[in-house]
Every structure is written in C-alpha cells, then in structure tokens.
Amino acid sequence: MNPGVFHACGHDAHMAMLITVSEIIQRNKVLLKNNIALLFEEAEEIGSGTPPICDALTQFNIKSIWGIHVEPDVQAGLIALNEGPIMAGSADINITIRGAGGHSSRPDYCHNPINAVAAIVQSIRTLWVDNIPPDSRTSFAFTKISGGTELNIIPDEVYLGGNLRFFDRSKAELIIDKMKTRISCISREYECAVEFTDTLFESGGITCNDVELCKKVKSKMIDNGLKDTIISIPPLYSSESFSHFCKKYKCIYAFLGNGSDTNYPLHSSNFRVDLNQLPLGIKATLSYIEAENSILMK
C-alpha cells in the first residue's frame, strides 16, 4: 500500500465484479462443461503482469478469454463490445543525440545536441503531414526530453523519447523507419551522432476482439435481456496489456459504461467508479460464460 497514491482506473471494481462472478459460478458449477480460470493480474499499470499469466496458461487448453474494464467515455448503462480492434498497439521510441559539449560562452566550439533535438521535434511534426497517410490510424507524440546539467554548459548528449500508437503493425514499422531516416539526417546536419534503443512493440500490442466470439456473446446477451445495452465505439488509441492474450487466444475486451455529465477521465484524481453499473458488468460476464458453455446460470 502506498498512502496517498491512487491509480484511478477502476481495478478495485473489476476485482469486485470477478469475485461476484466466481460466487455465481460456484453455485452453478454442476452445469459447466468447461473449467473456468479467474485471472487477477498484478502490475497492469506497467504492463508486466500479463506475460507470466500467459506462461502459466500454457499448461491448460484455453478456449477463450474475456476481460471487462470501466470506461467513462462510454455512457453509463451501456457495454461497448466491438467486433475486431478496440484498442491500439503501442511502441516506445528512445533516441540519444550525441554532440560535443563545452562552455556556453563559445557555442561555436561545440556541436550542441539541444539544437539538433529542437530541429528533430519540429521536423517530425511535418513528417506526419507530408508522409503519413491520413487514414493510417496512427498517432505519435514526443513525451520526454532530458539533457544538460548547468545553464552555462552545453551538454554532450540529449535524450529524446516518444510513443507511437497504431492499429496496423506493418504501418507502424514503416513510420518508425521514416522517423529514423529523418532523425539521422538532421543529426548529421548538426554534426551529431544518433542512437536508437529499444523500440518496444511488446509494451502494448493491438487489442483485437474475435469477431465470431463477439457475435456469439452478443447473441447470449440479447437472450439475457441486454440488447439495449450493447454498442460499438471507435477504437481507442490507448493500449492495454490484455493484448498479450489476444496474440494467443480468442478474446473479448469489453468496456462497461461509467460516463456521466460530471464524470472525470481514467487516471484523474477525481475519477470515481459508478458502483450502480457493476451489476451490468457482471451480467455481461456471465453471458460470456453461458455462451461458451451453452448453459443458463441462475
């Protein structure tokens, strides 16, 4: 426990729904045709909890996996259940620009990496306009610049980092190649060297729902009186560690509406879970279990 620290993403609500589902499963276990594993993921915030779970699941014959998350951008009383992509993949870009530092009184003796970084940041903005198709469904932002120690010293190197979001890995790889080419050219222009490290595609793959499984679960939800709660939404550019499961199994990742006129976004210190919505999330989860077991639970 970290006093005063609040992740503000609704994970306590997710666990509450899963524990409630486990109690209902226990009451109906004689009806089940398949074993059911309940997955409680640690360290979701940094994306390191899912790979160990994937390793542990290799000993079982996994048919499919369901996940559900509260979402303030979806109106309360609704379940977002997309057929196909629902969340973007993520790639981290790490760049070190190395020049020749010195004293600020004689910048002409130096190759200032800060100047190169300033030019790179501006140039990548035009790269997006001039070279990236508008229908590429990608986004990129530089998110970190670090360099220098004193106001009268030109540093030897500067770190520059950013993050790319995408729905097509091949397009993402092409974009990163274009970025590297332009960054290398600008670095040479400023007589600096450049190093690219750890372009991490594994930090977050595309979260993509299995189409046939979605149709199957939607049908069961309709049977259970939830027809008016089902919607589709434009895929989100945020990323999710659940994507690790999507690479190996048929999956569904659903969003439980938590939105209202006064609600705040996830990770805001003002975000609050609407507890009145949890029964709907439980019913949707039970509909998935019923669909995969061809049963009706009580």
Side-chain angles (χ1 to χ4, degrees):
M1 296 292 290
N2 297 308
V5 176
F6 179 33
H7 181 59
C9 202
H11 296 322
D12 47 352
H14 305 149
M15 288 190 289
M17 286 190 287
L18 191 55
I19 290 171
T20 303
V21 166
S22 71
E23 294 176 349
I24 297 172
I25 291 172
Q26 184 65 22
R27 293 201 303 264
N28 292 270
K29 62 181 181 180
V30 295
L31 302 175
L32 297 176
K33 297 180 180 179
N34 302 293
N35 292 324
I36 297 176
L38 307 179
L39 307 180
F40 293 85
E41 177 190 355
E42 65 176 359
E44 183 274 342
E45 296 85 353
I46 58 175
S48 64
T50 312
I53 296 177
C54 287
D55 291 341
L57 291 179
T58 57
Q59 61 185 302
F60 304 106
N61 181 23
I62 301 298
K63 185 177 181 182
S64 64
I65 298 180
W66 162 277
I68 189 167
H69 198 296
V70 295
E71 176 51 62
D73 285 338
V74 175
Q75 190 64 32
L78 300 175
I79 297 278
L81 194 56
N82 284 24
E83 297 176 9
I86 192 165
M87 298 184 77
S90 173
D92 295 331
I93 314 298
N94 297 282
I95 307 156
T96 302
I97 307 296
R98 294 190 174 90
H103 198 272
S104 62
S105 63
R106 294 305 302 264
D108 53 310
Y109 286 173
C110 306
H111 303 309
N112 192 339
I114 292 178
N115 295 338
V117 166
I120 288 167
V121 170
Q122 292 301 315
S123 181
I124 293 302
R125 292 178 62 194
T126 64
L127 172 71
W128 229 257
V129 174
D130 297 337
N131 291 272
I132 309 303
D135 62 350
S136 64
R137 292 206 299 171
T138 57
S139 67
F140 176 78
F142 283 116
T143 54
K144 186 176 181 180
I145 297 176
S146 177
T149 57
E150 300 292 341
L151 295 180
N152 63 342
I153 299 175
I154 294 171
D156 287 317
E157 65 180 40
V158 174
Y159 168 82
L160 177 63
N163 183 261
L164 176 71
R165 300 298 168 108
F166 58 90
F167 289 94
D168 184 321
R169 177 166 176 148
S170 62
K171 289 182 179 178
E173 291 173 342
L174 179 62
I175 289 169
I176 289 174
D177 286 343
K178 287 179 178 289
M179 290 175 62
K180 286 183 175 180
T181 298
R182 181 166 292 196
I183 290 168
S184 296
C185 289
I186 294 172
S187 298
R188 286 195 297 271
E189 180 183 346
Y190 284 84
E191 299 183 77
C192 293
V194 60
E195 178 183 348
F196 301 96
T197 56
D198 297 328
T199 302
L200 298 175
F201 280 98
E202 298 309 316
S203 58
I206 301 166
T207 301
C208 190
N209 291 340
D210 184 83
V211 174
E212 293 306 315
L213 182 59
C214 271
K215 291 178 178 178
K216 185 177 179 181
V217 173
K218 284 180 180 179
S219 177
K220 178 57 69 172
M221 289 176 66
I222 292 171
D223 291 344
N224 289 339
L226 301 179
K227 179 179 179 180
D228 293 337
T229 70
I230 304 170
I231 64 168
S232 293
I233 60 173
L236 304 183
Y237 279 77
S238 51
S239 298
E240 172 57 53
S241 61
F242 189 85
S243 62
H244 289 283
F245 297 134
C246 297
K247 296 175 184 177
K248 296 186 175 184
Y249 307 108
K250 293 182 178 181
C251 289
I252 292 179
Y253 198 70
F255 285 116
L256 173 63
N258 194 80
S260 68
D261 294 337
T262 59
N263 202 11
Y264 291 85
L266 297 175
H267 307 296
S268 164
S269 60
N270 294 309
F271 172 73
R272 297 293 183 270
V273 173
D274 182 353
L275 298 180
N276 293 323
Q277 304 309 311
L278 301 192
L280 176 57
I282 292 166
K283 290 177 182 177
T285 303
L286 292 174
S287 294
Y288 156 74
I289 295 172
E290 290 174 347
E292 285 291 75
N293 285 272
S294 300
I295 61 170
L296 180 63
M297 291 193 288
K298 300 178 181 180

